[in-house]
Amino acid sequence: MSVYLFLIAGTDHVYKGVYFLNSETWTRSSLCSVAGIVVTISCEGSLTFLFLLTRFRYSNIVDPFSDVNGWQYSFAIFAVLNAIILTLIMMSYAQMYKYVSGSRSGSGRADPTELVLARRSLVINLWLAVLFLPINSTLNPLLYTILTIDMKSIRARNKRSKPIK
């Protein structure tokens, strides 16, 4: 949201007193589009986090002794939400590939260079989306957990325990 506010403040400074003369130029500019995208992501992200926080508080107040633990929220975000997003990414790239390969071939002037570029782009982005993003999403909680373990207390417990004979 701060990026959006800085964009709007800068634009206000540039168009101060003459915005009515430049309103169409501003609304058609790429900077206005970027500002719209940024504020939308900010609002949707805030609303999502507010929902998750409210849901967590609700379960702790209304039914504090249920089976609902933090791992269910993590699973919902890291597994379900990421699976939906990855599916949408793959569908988008498949449609882009179909569009690029069909646009030239429909005119009878298929450009092999464009098709090769489209195939390479599709393969690279699918590998990134299918392989690396889920691995990253899966490993992040584990890495943060491992990094926060107090190794000294683990070593102290191991020294105090009796060896198995």
Side-chain angles (χ1 to χ4, degrees):
M1 186 57 81
S2 61
V3 171
Y4 169 75
L5 292 174
F6 277 118
L7 285 172
I8 296 302
T11 303
D12 180 56
H13 180 72
V14 170
Y15 291 123
K16 192 163 203 96
V18 293
Y19 176 77
F20 65 95
L21 297 173
N22 299 302
S23 64
E24 190 171 330
T25 304
W26 163 247
T27 56
R28 292 176 188 245
S29 72
S30 59
L31 191 59
C32 181
S33 298
V34 168
I37 291 169
V38 167
V39 76
T40 301
I41 291 171
S42 175
C43 290
E44 292 303 316
S46 296
L47 187 62
T48 302
F49 289 126
L50 185 60
F51 169 74
L52 292 173
L53 183 61
T54 302
R55 190 68 197 126
F56 182 71
R57 286 180 179 168
Y58 174 82
S59 66
N60 284 334
I61 291 172
V62 172
D63 194 10
F65 300 110
S66 70
D67 296 334
V68 178
N69 295 320
W71 72 266
Q72 284 123 340
Y73 293 105
S74 296
F75 178 79
I77 292 171
F78 292 122
V80 176
L81 184 63
N82 284 354
I84 292 169
I85 290 171
L86 287 173
T87 302
L88 292 174
I89 289 170
M90 290 188 306
M91 288 171 36
S92 297
Y93 276 105
Q95 286 181 335
M96 284 188 287
Y97 177 74
K98 184 180 174 183
Y99 177 78
V100 169
S101 63
S103 66
R104 291 288 185 182
S105 61
S107 66
R109 304 177 303 155
D111 186 2
T113 308
E114 257 186 42
L115 291 176
V116 169
L117 183 62
R119 284 187 190 116
R120 285 183 185 166
S121 175
L122 179 67
V123 169
I124 290 169
N125 284 289
L126 283 178
W127 272 105
L128 287 174
V130 172
L131 184 63
F132 294 114
L133 291 179
I135 290 172
N136 180 39
S137 296
T138 303
L139 290 180
N140 274 340
L142 297 173
L143 291 174
Y144 287 121
T145 302
I146 290 170
L147 292 175
T148 58
I149 293 175
D150 185 7
M151 298 305 272
K152 290 180 182 178
S153 65
I154 292 173
R155 288 185 189 133
R157 270 188 276 156
N158 288 339
K159 286 181 183 178
R160 282 184 274 154
S161 66
K162 295 179 183 180
I164 300 175
K165 294 181 182 180

